[in-house]
Amino acid sequence: MDNLYTLSEIADKRFSNGEEIPQNIIDGVKKITSSGGFIGMAQINPIAGNVEYNAKKIAKYIKYACKIGLDMVVFPELALMGYPIEDTIDRHPIIVEENIKWLKGLAKITAGTTALVGFVEPRKKDAEGKKYFNSVAILKGGKIVGIVRKSLLPTYSEFNDYRYIEPSPVVGVQPAETLGVFDRGCESGCLKIFEKYGISICEDCWNNKEFFDKHLYEKDPIEELAAENPEIFINCSASPTRAKKEQLKHNMLSFLAHKYKTPIVYVNQVGAIDNSSFDGSSRVFGADGELIARAKSFEEQFLIVNPTKKIGKIYPLTKGLDKSLNEQKVFTLEYESDLERTYKTIVQGIRDYFKKCGFKRAVLGLSGGLDSTVCAVLLADAIGKENVFGVSMPSHITSKESKSDAEKLAHNLGINFTEASIRPMIDTTTECLDKLFKTVETKWDGRYKTSFTPDNIQARSRAMFLWGISNEFASCIPIATSDKSELYMGYATINGDMSGGFAPIADVPKTKLFAFARWMNENREEKNAIPEAIILKKPGAELAIDPKTGKPLIAEDALMPYEFLDEIIWRVENKNEGYQDLLNTEFVYEKHNTISREQKTEWLDKFFRRMSTALYKWSILPPSVIVESRSINKYDYRQPITSGKINYKGVEDEYVSGVLADE
Amino acid sequence: MDNLYTLSEIADKRFSNGEEIPQNIIDGVKKITSSGGFIGMAQINPIAGNVEYNAKKIAKYIKYACKIGLDMVVFPELALMGYPIEDTIDRHPIIVEENIKWLKGLAKITAGTTALVGFVEPRKKDAEGKKYFNSVAILKGGKIVGIVRKSLLPTYSEFNDYRYIEPSPVVGVQPAETLGVFDRGCESGCLKIFEKYGISICEDCWNNKEFFDKHLYEKDPIEELAAENPEIFINCSASPTRAKKEQLKHNMLSFLAHKYKTPIVYVNQVGAIDNSSFDGSSRVFGADGELIARAKSFEEQFLIVNPTKKIGKIYPLTKGLDKSLNEQKVFTLEYESDLERTYKTIVQGIRDYFKKCGFKRAVLGLSGGLDSTVCAVLLADAIGKENVFGVSMPSHITSKESKSDAEKLAHNLGINFTEASIRPMIDTTTECLDKLFKTVETKWDGRYKTSFTPDNIQARSRAMFLWGISNEFASCIPIATSDKSELYMGYATINGDMSGGFAPIADVPKTKLFAFARWMNENREEKNAIPEAIILKKPGAELAIDPKTGKPLIAEDALMPYEFLDEIIWRVENKNEGYQDLLNTEFVYEKHNTISREQKTEWLDKFFRRMSTALYKWSILPPSVIVESRSINKYDYRQPITSGKINYKGVEDEYVSGVLADE
């Protein structure tokens, strides 16, 4: 079957360039697929709500599928609308009407090939529950011949399906009497045709009672579908990448195929929508649970397979997607295995955010530190080096090395670079503020003896420069360079380094960034773009002088060792550990550093105190890419800002009795 | 019963001052309540996640209820945890453990009086579904004697219950075998005691199939409870105020009482948690549907009632809460009836955000314009005039009137005031940026001939001053003064006027602000604090000169008439109207202004275009108060930023066929 995939790759390239597929390719593929039983997996990258854009893309693939005589072409969940679409369909129902219009149009261009197209299905006006179903339409012979509706609606992490979607009580192709709400052309008579396929949508296949220890739902749609003995399972999905999720997905799909002795065709969305980056990696497992085919990760692809005859091609999975499940049980500094996935997740996240919003260029401050360095590399790779402008903005504290490291980096990357001193800004602002503070002081007490004002003036002056460039030059946004460790500690300046149009590394902890920088130096085409000095230096904001050393303050001295901090974050996020758990178990850091219980207590206290006051900063963080299995992205995790006074330590029973007796 | 409420008001004052309730009050109340059948409605203001704080408050009321011999004391939904608590309980399960500890402690201090206390109930580890129930514990005689669980979980607007809560299949007091998960002291034998009360939680009572045209859920818990013939319905609630919601609530509760010939006791949370402001206004309806009692709006209160004997007191409802339902069908500039509610909703929102986060003081720029003026008044009333600092920050464009209006306002309000010119900031920044832009220009094309850079430099310099004060003086946050109309148009500067620790009027449209200012002038104790000139002047940011007039640009010239804009917003939010609906129906503005179809088209185009690109700004907007029935608050409404290319106009069927034929 090598020839099929050689031809397909040529076709894919033509698709991505918007070119016609030449007749000889069509003929070549058709020769192979004409024997029947072939399915096209259309792993597409939609734009949320841009129904016309998505429909055009879908139309191209449907036409191609018809030309090469496929039995079926399968698109991801909500392919016409893009997933997630969120509350948009509630406030702007026009786009649902539009998606029906385009769906009907797409039905008309199908011929002998069946197309499965995800769309938002409006329910009857007087129906109980939410206004919409998350559905897949079965298009054939110019008509909508059947509908499948999602039953299990995720409402955790970045998912909010149940906010706007009604769960379907019926799995598989819907009974005739529920059809026809929006399309009188639906033909009830032809439903039986689809008994061959057990069709489900995304979460529907994630609730097997044998495979999972914990079940979020009572219903198991796949179990129900299996009872009807379909020849092939098909799952239309939109499942974003998260650390350590892929192995689970692989095992689960393989388990389902094997358990029900039925091949499964899983078609996933690719591309990023706001904070969620979808990896694609669509695949097919045979009836014995064996992997038959797998599409590329982080790329659009049209993969032709024959699940019954076990014809397919397994493209390599991005490293990290295949990470073993065992590793997720303990914190480790061994990030290596997840770095390729991290890289592609973020690069795709940046690229799609820019493209889908209509931005072309980015400007960022280059401090010579790790955060801005990693951001610069990612940006260069995502939107092109010519579209990135790095600005070194030294103050009186900035060292010569910082400036030269930044310049060296820019040179290595080939991005645009300039230097602009913020000293005049600092001088003027400081002078103005000194005067202002003196007036305020006549009315208000509580002026700090030492404050962060001078630090913040620097960070904000820099943001003023970057936003200035963004305002002055077309199609350009500034970049927020805050990392995850520092966001947890609130160690980021409002209207300063945490401000921007996009925050590429907001979900990457600092210790991972070090490994990430080294990985990029080794794995990018241009080796060692990041100067070694940047990776070796101790992180610090270079905003203040440490009175103890007379040198710029090192972040770890102001906070705590990053290794320790990152393990707290990991354990709180992945293991739900509380203060006492953390205090009473050994950290990786402690294996090679002796620290007193007092020191550990001090760091833990600082972590919970600073995290509590950082909640506000999380709420105003620019759009970013979710990378890890759990994040602080406001659309992934929400905690009331006013809950800052939570007692994370807990109290003793005796304390409770005492307090309540006193009230 | 006048005496009961006279004594109760004294007790309430003591409660709010943290003082003991004197014995003569207790004796006086007890004399009345000893005849039996009295219920205490404890309308409390909890802090989300601060279980100890909430438990102490609850304990005080339980002890008092015991002392005065009430049959029962009822607290709001999730009283121990505060509502909403959101994902916090998922990531930090420690606070759920804590709420169980404190619940057990509270059980111990109950004697003959029964207490209904809302809490988060952990489910069995292996249970299917979410980890928690949203429950009410029945505490009596030192023990937890029963549990009621919420069945209907709202997931619209600001509600996200189903993200972390499992709906209860059983309404009312739970069967004995489901208890004991966390408390072996639960007594299954005593469940029968509570047949007298039909207890439900918040949304559970919002699904009557006769009363509502549209039902979000299949189940109707009240119908099920009614089948057991309880003597009294009790509903523990946390229902935030939204425009025009109250009349619906009143009618619905009255309907339920009347339909089932059963009195209903509805206890609502009061106070604000982040963006949601809860109005309290707890109440009782008699078996005939008549209102018997209603607690104060926007205040903590302990209201004693006897639903069977129809003993109660009806405190006046904040005007606006009682707005008739008819008014919601069309847009109107008659805001009068909703202004008291608007005022109290925001004042409470500000006050609680500050108090619960531990802030005392606010600083804001006073431009002499309407937005900052209204914010200043609200702040003075919410946190005290001595805690507000108004700063006039004139630039070269600022008129003398703007400065003197600002000063006059500050003087009238008695807030602190100073003036600080931003001209040195503008000069330095402009100089620095000019140089920087020249360098950038050597590498990048696309420099705008006229840009917003000079406007934004002014807005950002001002924010620099305000954040400076916030950094330098303890316990102080700057205020973002953007209003709803301008946020829809993206007419607000990032890191400028839309930046701050809190945004008081982000959900108030401009035309309402005019009426609001007049209302405050008439209804605040100090009359006419707002200089008439501020209300009369045409809004404008005073950031740029209009080349046509040579005077500062008027916002309506840059945007469109606010009256027209606000009607678009209202119709999009409340009627889900799309572009064509708006174009083809008459606006209020058109009743007294002749506008061409071209003009209307231009404004509508501008609205949808600007709204699409404002999505990013909405996502980084500081915490604010939700006021209107629908808002753009990111926790109330979510639309992907990358969906900016939505075609709000829609297309013709022929267009669809044409495009798809061409692909």
Side-chain angles (χ1 to χ4, degrees):
Chain A
M1 285 300 133
D2 285 357
N3 193 32
L4 173 62
Y5 297 103
T6 312
L7 294 170
S8 290
E9 279 174 29
I10 299 170
D12 268 338
K13 205 158 269 169
R14 299 280 174 142
F15 275 126
S16 71
N17 294 336
E19 295 162 1
E20 286 279 303
I21 311 294
Q23 194 58 40
N24 66 322
I25 302 279
I26 291 172
D27 293 341
V29 173
K30 200 175 175 179
K31 215 165 136 186
I32 300 162
T33 55
S34 59
S35 59
F38 282 84
I39 294 177
M41 302 163 76
Q43 176 176 296
I44 63 165
N45 180 354
I47 298 179
N50 193 337
V51 184
E52 178 167 347
Y53 174 90
N54 303 333
K56 282 178 177 171
K57 204 178 262 287
I58 293 168
K60 275 188 190 164
Y61 286 119
I62 289 180
K63 287 184 179 177
Y64 178 63
C66 291
K67 280 185 194 156
I68 57 175
L70 297 185
D71 281 16
M72 183 177 273
V73 51
V74 184
F75 293 89
E77 179 179 14
L78 290 194
L80 249 178
M81 188 59 87
Y83 182 95
I85 186 62
E86 300 282 344
D87 302 343
T88 323
I89 52 175
D90 182 42
R91 189 158 301 176
H92 300 289
I94 171 90
I95 62 164
V96 178
E97 290 172 37
E98 289 300 295
N99 105 134
I100 296 301
K101 244 181 240 169
W102 288 96
L103 183 71
K104 289 183 189 173
L106 288 172
K108 287 191 192 124
I109 60 166
T110 53
T113 295
T114 302
L116 301 190
V117 178
F119 73 110
V120 175
E121 182 189 358
R123 301 178 64 222
K124 284 184 186 140
K125 279 232 165 71
D126 56 353
E128 248 162 32
K130 312 281 179 173
K131 288 186 210 153
Y132 304 108
F133 284 126
N134 175 332
S135 300
V136 163
I138 304 168
L139 313 180
K140 194 177 183 178
K143 288 181 176 169
I144 299 170
V145 295
I147 303 278
V148 174
R149 296 173 183 144
K150 192 174 182 178
S151 292
L152 307 188
L153 303 178
T155 54
Y156 49 81
S157 306
E158 66 271 62
F159 304 114
N160 281 309
D161 281 24
Y162 190 58
R163 268 183 79 83
Y164 41 92
I165 299 294
E166 182 68 14
S168 172
V170 179
V171 303
V173 179
Q174 302 296 300
E177 68 271 20
T178 76
L179 299 179
V181 172
F182 61 88
D183 191 295
R184 277 163 306 212
C186 272
E187 306 217 338
S188 52
C190 57
L191 291 176
K192 288 279 157 199
I193 302 172
F194 299 99
E195 281 182 358
K196 187 175 165 185
Y197 302 103
I199 305 164
S200 64
I201 304 174
C202 204
E203 190 84 348
D204 286 346
C205 77
W206 287 82
N207 200 37
N208 185 276
K209 309 265 168 137
E210 246 179 273
F211 183 81
F212 290 103
D213 289 337
K214 166 88 188 159
H215 316 116
L216 271 180
Y217 321 89
E218 209 184 306
K219 201 176 176 72
D220 178 2
I222 301 300
E223 176 85 22
E224 289 185 42
L225 285 175
E228 306 197 4
N229 295 311
E231 286 172 33
I232 297 169
F233 285 133
I234 294 176
N235 183 271
C236 301
S237 224
S239 174
T241 171
R242 303 286 298 247
K244 296 152 200 161
K245 178 174 166 182
E246 188 61 24
Q247 185 72 32
L248 181 70
K249 193 193 279 181
H250 176 100
N251 293 351
M252 189 268 294
L253 291 171
S254 167
F255 177 91
L256 292 180
H258 179 258
K259 178 181 161 80
Y260 298 111
K261 306 210 176 352
T262 309
I264 185 163
V265 174
Y266 167 92
V267 178
N268 194 21
Q269 178 174 294
V270 73
I273 292 184
D274 286 26
N275 307 281
S276 295
S277 201
F278 297 81
D279 61 291
S281 319
S282 300
R283 78 215 52 194
V284 180
F285 290 86
D288 51 2
E290 191 196 345
L291 183 67
I292 295 172
R294 187 173 54 214
K296 292 174 184 171
S297 313
F298 303 103
E299 270 185 54
E300 286 198 324
Q301 197 182 1
F302 188 76
L303 186 61
I304 298 167
V305 297
N306 190 321
T308 320
K309 294 196 189 142
K310 288 199 169 189
I311 296 168
K313 177 166 177 172
I314 301 172
Y315 285 87
L317 200 61
T318 294
K319 208 180 158 198
L321 285 174
D322 60 352
K323 200 167 184 185
S324 106
L325 284 175
N326 297 330
E327 287 178 68
Q328 86 180 72
K329 307 235 165 88
V330 289
F331 174 74
T332 158
L333 289 163
E334 303 302 318
Y335 292 111
E336 179 63 24
S337 60
D338 193 41
L339 295 173
E340 188 183 359
R341 184 194 69 87
T342 301
Y343 173 81
K344 291 197 175 173
T345 302
I346 303 179
V347 166
Q348 175 177 267
I350 299 170
R351 184 182 291 142
D352 276 5
Y353 187 81
F354 274 70
K355 209 163 61 180
K356 293 176 182 181
C357 286
F359 296 116
K360 215 179 94 188
R361 308 188 286 202
V363 59
L364 83 167
L366 288 186
S367 68
L370 189 66
D371 288 352
S372 61
T373 295
V374 170
C375 286
V377 181
L378 293 167
L379 284 163
D381 292 354
I383 59 172
K385 57 191 181 183
E386 68 283 7
N387 293 318
V388 183
F389 222 114
V391 189
S392 163
M393 295 175 284
S395 75
H396 51 292
I397 294 170
T398 312
S399 68
K400 264 189 206 158
E401 291 72 33
S402 296
K403 288 190 273 185
S404 65
D405 288 344
E407 189 164 4
K408 217 177 290 172
L409 169 76
H411 177 262
N412 293 350
L413 288 175
I415 62 173
N416 303 294
F417 178 79
T418 188
E419 194 181 300
S421 167
I422 55 164
R423 294 189 72 155
M425 297 287 294
I426 299 173
D427 293 343
T428 306
T429 311
T430 306
E431 205 178 302
C432 287
L433 283 181
D434 278 349
K435 247 198 283 178
L436 182 55
F437 293 161
K438 282 203 186 98
T439 327
V440 174
E441 225 173 6
T442 62
K443 310 281 179 63
W444 272 0
D445 59 359
R447 181 167 179 184
Y448 292 116
K449 288 220 173 73
T450 52
S451 76
F452 289 107
T453 314
D455 309 38
N456 287 335
I457 289 173
Q458 296 167 63
R460 288 183 188 132
S461 296
R462 292 183 176 123
M464 197 89 126
F465 280 12
L466 300 178
W467 280 100
I469 295 174
S470 158
N471 289 148
E472 192 74 11
F473 290 85
S475 199
C476 165
I477 56 173
I479 296 302
T481 55
S482 299
D483 68 50
K484 181 171 190 167
S485 310
E486 297 178 346
L487 284 168
Y488 255 99
M489 303 299 274
Y491 196 68
T493 301
I494 298 160
N495 296 3
D497 56 310
M498 68 164 281
S499 140
F502 198 78
I505 57 168
D507 196 28
V508 187
K510 191 71 124 193
T511 50
K512 187 172 182 178
L513 282 172
F514 281 103
F516 197 28
R518 291 209 175 280
W519 181 90
M520 292 199 288
N521 267 355
E522 284 159 29
N523 290 280
R524 290 177 70 248
E525 206 177 302
E526 298 146 297
K527 307 288 175 214
N528 298 312
I530 302 173
E532 185 70 9
I534 292 179
I535 304 177
L536 287 178
K537 77 175 76 158
K538 289 223 161 224
E542 278 199 327
L543 294 174
I545 297 295
D546 188 340
K548 283 186 223 146
T549 63
K551 289 184 184 162
L553 188 67
I554 300 299
E556 292 190 312
D557 293 339
L559 307 172
M560 67 187 79
Y562 279 116
E563 198 185 315
F564 191 87
L565 171 58
D566 287 354
E567 182 163 352
I568 306 181
I569 294 170
W570 191 90
R571 285 162 66 170
V572 165
E573 290 195 341
N574 291 285
K575 312 283 282 181
N576 295 336
E577 287 190 27
Y579 188 98
Q580 304 298 347
D581 307 316
L582 295 164
L583 183 62
N584 296 318
T585 49
E586 195 185 38
F587 276 61
V588 171
Y589 182 83
E590 291 178 277
K591 290 195 205 294
H592 51 92
N593 293 279
T594 312
I595 51 171
S596 66
R597 195 162 170 95
E598 288 66 41
Q599 180 62 83
K600 203 170 168 183
T601 306
E602 190 202 312
W603 287 341
L604 288 174
D605 285 346
K606 188 186 275 180
F607 174 82
F608 283 102
R609 190 178 63 243
R610 293 193 71 136
M611 179 182 70
S612 294
T613 53
L615 293 171
Y616 161 73
K617 290 186 179 176
W618 301 356
S619 84
I620 57 161
L621 191 75
S624 62
V625 195
I626 298 170
V627 176
E628 303 298 318
S629 36
R630 301 185 98 180
S631 78
I632 50 168
N633 186 293
K634 59 180 164 273
Y635 299 114
D636 184 34
Y637 175 70
R638 192 194 161 195
Q639 176 173 351
I641 298 169
T642 49
S643 77
K645 299 277 174 56
I646 283 177
N647 182 348
Y648 291 101
K649 287 187 189 182
V651 296
E652 298 293 322
D653 287 340
E654 298 69 44
Y655 175 83
V656 171
S657 327
V659 166
L660 294 179
D662 288 347
E663 277 308 312
Chain B
M1 284 299 132
D2 286 357
N3 194 31
L4 173 62
Y5 296 102
T6 314
L7 294 170
S8 289
E9 279 175 27
I10 301 170
D12 268 338
K13 206 158 266 169
R14 299 280 174 141
F15 274 126
S16 72
N17 294 334
E19 295 162 0
E20 286 280 302
I21 311 295
Q23 194 59 41
N24 66 323
I25 303 281
I26 291 172
D27 293 341
V29 172
K30 200 175 174 178
K31 216 163 135 184
I32 301 162
T33 54
S34 59
S35 60
F38 282 85
I39 294 177
M41 301 164 78
Q43 175 175 298
I44 63 166
N45 179 353
I47 298 179
N50 192 336
V51 184
E52 178 168 347
Y53 173 89
N54 302 334
K56 282 176 174 172
K57 204 176 261 287
I58 293 168
K60 273 188 190 164
Y61 286 119
I62 289 180
K63 286 183 179 179
Y64 177 63
C66 290
K67 280 184 194 155
I68 57 174
L70 298 185
D71 281 14
M72 184 178 270
V73 50
V74 184
F75 294 88
E77 179 179 15
L78 289 195
L80 249 178
M81 188 61 85
Y83 181 95
I85 186 63
E86 299 284 346
D87 302 343
T88 324
I89 52 176
D90 182 42
R91 188 160 300 178
H92 300 288
I94 173 89
I95 63 163
V96 178
E97 289 172 36
E98 290 299 296
N99 105 132
I100 296 302
K101 246 181 236 169
W102 289 95
L103 183 71
K104 289 183 188 174
L106 289 171
K108 287 193 190 119
I109 62 166
T110 54
T113 296
T114 301
L116 301 191
V117 178
F119 74 110
V120 175
E121 183 189 357
R123 301 178 64 222
K124 282 184 187 140
K125 281 230 165 75
D126 56 354
E128 248 162 31
K130 312 281 181 176
K131 287 188 209 152
Y132 305 109
F133 283 127
N134 175 332
S135 300
V136 163
I138 305 167
L139 313 180
K140 194 177 185 181
K143 287 178 176 169
I144 299 169
V145 295
I147 303 279
V148 174
R149 294 171 184 146
K150 193 174 183 179
S151 292
L152 307 188
L153 303 179
T155 52
Y156 49 80
S157 307
E158 66 271 63
F159 305 114
N160 281 308
D161 281 26
Y162 190 57
R163 269 183 78 84
Y164 41 92
I165 299 293
E166 182 67 15
S168 172
V170 179
V171 303
V173 179
Q174 301 296 300
E177 67 273 19
T178 76
L179 300 179
V181 173
F182 63 87
D183 190 296
R184 276 162 307 214
C186 271
E187 305 216 341
S188 53
C190 57
L191 291 176
K192 288 278 156 199
I193 302 171
F194 299 98
E195 283 184 354
K196 186 173 166 184
Y197 302 103
I199 305 165
S200 64
I201 303 175
C202 204
E203 189 85 348
D204 285 347
C205 77
W206 286 82
N207 199 38
N208 186 277
K209 310 261 168 141
E210 247 179 273
F211 183 81
F212 291 102
D213 289 337
K214 166 87 189 161
H215 316 118
L216 271 180
Y217 320 89
E218 206 184 310
K219 203 177 175 69
D220 178 3
I222 302 299
E223 176 85 21
E224 289 185 41
L225 285 175
E228 306 199 1
N229 294 309
E231 288 172 31
I232 298 169
F233 284 133
I234 294 176
N235 183 272
C236 300
S237 226
S239 174
T241 172
R242 303 288 297 248
K244 298 151 199 162
K245 177 173 165 183
E246 189 62 22
Q247 186 71 32
L248 181 69
K249 194 194 279 182
H250 176 99
N251 294 352
M252 190 269 295
L253 291 170
S254 167
F255 177 90
L256 292 181
H258 180 259
K259 176 179 162 82
Y260 298 111
K261 307 208 174 356
T262 309
I264 185 162
V265 174
Y266 167 90
V267 179
N268 193 20
Q269 178 174 294
V270 74
I273 292 184
D274 287 26
N275 307 284
S276 295
S277 202
F278 298 82
D279 62 290
S281 319
S282 301
R283 77 213 55 190
V284 180
F285 291 86
D288 51 1
E290 189 196 347
L291 183 66
I292 296 173
R294 186 173 55 214
K296 293 173 181 169
S297 312
F298 302 103
E299 271 186 54
E300 285 197 323
Q301 198 181 4
F302 188 77
L303 186 62
I304 297 167
V305 297
N306 189 320
T308 319
K309 293 193 188 145
K310 289 200 168 190
I311 297 169
K313 176 166 178 172
I314 301 172
Y315 285 87
L317 200 60
T318 294
K319 208 179 157 200
L321 285 174
D322 61 351
K323 200 167 185 186
S324 105
L325 284 174
N326 296 332
E327 288 178 69
Q328 88 179 70
K329 307 234 166 90
V330 290
F331 174 74
T332 158
L333 289 163
E334 301 303 317
Y335 292 110
E336 179 63 25
S337 61
D338 193 42
L339 296 173
E340 187 183 359
R341 185 195 69 86
T342 301
Y343 174 80
K344 291 197 175 174
T345 301
I346 303 180
V347 166
Q348 174 177 270
I350 299 171
R351 185 182 289 141
D352 277 5
Y353 186 80
F354 274 71
K355 209 163 63 180
K356 293 175 182 181
C357 287
F359 297 116
K360 217 179 93 189
R361 308 189 287 203
V363 60
L364 83 166
L366 289 186
S367 68
L370 189 66
D371 288 352
S372 61
T373 295
V374 171
C375 286
V377 181
L378 293 166
L379 284 163
D381 292 355
I383 59 171
K385 57 190 180 185
E386 68 283 5
N387 293 318
V388 183
F389 223 114
V391 189
S392 163
M393 295 174 285
S395 74
H396 51 292
I397 294 171
T398 313
S399 69
K400 264 189 206 160
E401 293 71 33
S402 296
K403 287 191 274 184
S404 66
D405 289 343
E407 187 164 6
K408 217 179 289 172
L409 168 76
H411 177 262
N412 294 351
L413 288 174
I415 62 172
N416 302 294
F417 177 80
T418 189
E419 193 182 300
S421 166
I422 56 164
R423 295 190 72 154
M425 297 285 297
I426 297 173
D427 292 343
T428 306
T429 311
T430 307
E431 205 177 303
C432 287
L433 283 181
D434 278 349
K435 246 198 284 178
L436 183 54
F437 293 161
K438 281 201 187 101
T439 326
V440 174
E441 225 173 4
T442 63
K443 312 281 179 65
W444 271 0
D445 59 0
R447 183 168 178 181
Y448 292 116
K449 289 221 173 72
T450 54
S451 76
F452 290 107
T453 314
D455 310 38
N456 287 336
I457 289 172
Q458 296 167 64
R460 289 184 188 131
S461 296
R462 292 183 176 120
M464 196 89 125
F465 280 13
L466 301 178
W467 280 101
I469 295 174
S470 159
N471 288 147
E472 190 76 7
F473 290 86
S475 199
C476 165
I477 55 175
I479 297 301
T481 55
S482 300
D483 68 51
K484 183 171 187 165
S485 310
E486 297 178 346
L487 284 168
Y488 254 97
M489 302 299 275
Y491 196 66
T493 301
I494 298 160
N495 296 3
D497 58 309
M498 68 162 282
S499 140
F502 198 78
I505 57 168
D507 196 28
V508 187
K510 191 70 123 193
T511 51
K512 187 172 183 179
L513 282 172
F514 281 103
F516 197 27
R518 291 211 176 280
W519 181 90
M520 293 199 288
N521 267 354
E522 284 159 31
N523 290 279
R524 290 177 73 246
E525 208 178 300
E526 298 146 298
K527 306 287 175 216
N528 298 313
I530 302 173
E532 186 70 8
I534 292 179
I535 305 177
L536 288 177
K537 77 175 77 158
K538 289 227 164 220
E542 278 199 326
L543 294 173
I545 298 294
D546 188 339
K548 284 185 226 149
T549 62
K551 288 184 185 164
L553 189 68
I554 301 299
E556 291 189 313
D557 293 339
L559 308 172
M560 68 188 79
Y562 279 115
E563 199 186 312
F564 191 87
L565 171 59
D566 288 354
E567 182 162 352
I568 307 181
I569 294 171
W570 190 91
R571 285 163 65 170
V572 165
E573 290 195 342
N574 290 284
K575 312 283 280 180
N576 296 335
E577 287 189 27
Y579 188 98
Q580 304 298 348
D581 307 315
L582 294 163
L583 183 62
N584 296 320
T585 49
E586 195 184 39
F587 276 60
V588 171
Y589 181 83
E590 291 177 278
K591 289 193 204 296
H592 49 92
N593 294 278
T594 312
I595 51 173
S596 64
R597 196 164 167 95
E598 287 65 41
Q599 180 62 84
K600 203 170 168 182
T601 306
E602 188 202 314
W603 287 342
L604 288 174
D605 286 345
K606 187 185 277 181
F607 174 82
F608 283 101
R609 190 179 62 243
R610 294 194 68 134
M611 179 181 70
S612 293
T613 52
L615 294 170
Y616 161 74
K617 289 185 179 176
W618 301 356
S619 84
I620 58 159
L621 190 76
S624 63
V625 195
I626 298 169
V627 176
E628 302 299 318
S629 35
R630 302 186 99 180
S631 78
I632 49 167
N633 186 292
K634 60 179 163 269
Y635 299 114
D636 185 34
Y637 175 70
R638 193 194 161 195
Q639 177 173 350
I641 298 169
T642 48
S643 77
K645 300 276 174 58
I646 283 178
N647 182 348
Y648 291 102
K649 288 188 191 182
V651 296
E652 298 293 323
D653 287 339
E654 297 68 45
Y655 176 82
V656 171
S657 328
V659 166
L660 293 180
D662 289 346
E663 277 309 312

